[in-house]
Amino acid sequence: QVQLIESGGGLVQAGGSLRLSCAASGRTFSGYKMGWFRQAPGKEREFVAAITWSDANTYYVDSVKGRFTISRDNAKNTVYLQMNSLKPEDTDVYYCAAGPPGIPITMTRGYGDWGQGTQVTVSS
């Protein structure tokens, strides 16, 4: 059974930084893609960033390019999202997701396993 455990969320002032972690277990993730999505109450879950486990290709939504960095640690089976220069509009629940290779990498239907989410709140 796949488990994705997120951590690292919290409250930070605008301009600050947070690092989210996603500890993955339950299968071999080689070849998989790992993504971060976020969701506000009453809104659809939206893509933030993704990385392919084997070759570490990365993808970002335009609004976080240059501020967020996704990475993975093969030895720890963990994916990270380093978030810098945070803005109040980054406030959301952030979810880690795992999906088989192939497209769509930026859409929720491309992922079959999800974590429980971690709250990120950025104050102005």
Side-chain angles (χ1 to χ4, degrees):
Q1 182 179 357
V2 173
Q3 276 197 316
L4 303 174
I5 309 294
E6 301 105 332
S7 61
L11 172 64
V12 64
Q13 288 189 331
S17 298
L18 284 174
R19 188 177 80 157
L20 305 184
S21 299
C22 173
S25 63
R27 64 158 295 123
T28 300
F29 291 95
S30 176
Y32 263 51
K33 59 184 183 287
M34 303 294 293
W36 286 97
F37 289 74
R38 61 189 181 186
Q39 187 172 23
K43 293 188 176 181
E44 291 189 357
R45 194 166 294 187
E46 68 168 1
F47 171 77
V48 176
I51 188 167
T52 53
W53 199 274
S54 297
D55 51 19
N57 287 332
T58 57
Y59 306 82
Y60 299 94
V61 67
D62 286 347
S63 60
V64 308
K65 285 180 180 177
R67 301 189 298 123
F68 291 11
T69 302
I70 188 170
S71 61
R72 86 289 187 241
D73 184 327
N74 286 346
K76 296 182 178 180
N77 246 25
T78 299
V79 177
Y80 303 99
L81 185 67
Q82 177 67 44
M83 305 187 294
N84 298 329
S85 303
L86 282 161
K87 304 175 181 180
E89 52 263 44
D90 293 317
T91 295
D92 270 322
V93 177
Y94 283 70
Y95 295 89
C96 176
I103 58 174
I105 203 165
T106 63
M107 300 178 72
T108 56
R109 63 184 176 90
Y111 299 81
D113 297 292
W114 294 85
Q116 81 286 354
T118 185
Q119 176 71 48
V120 171
T121 303
V122 184
S123 64
S124 57

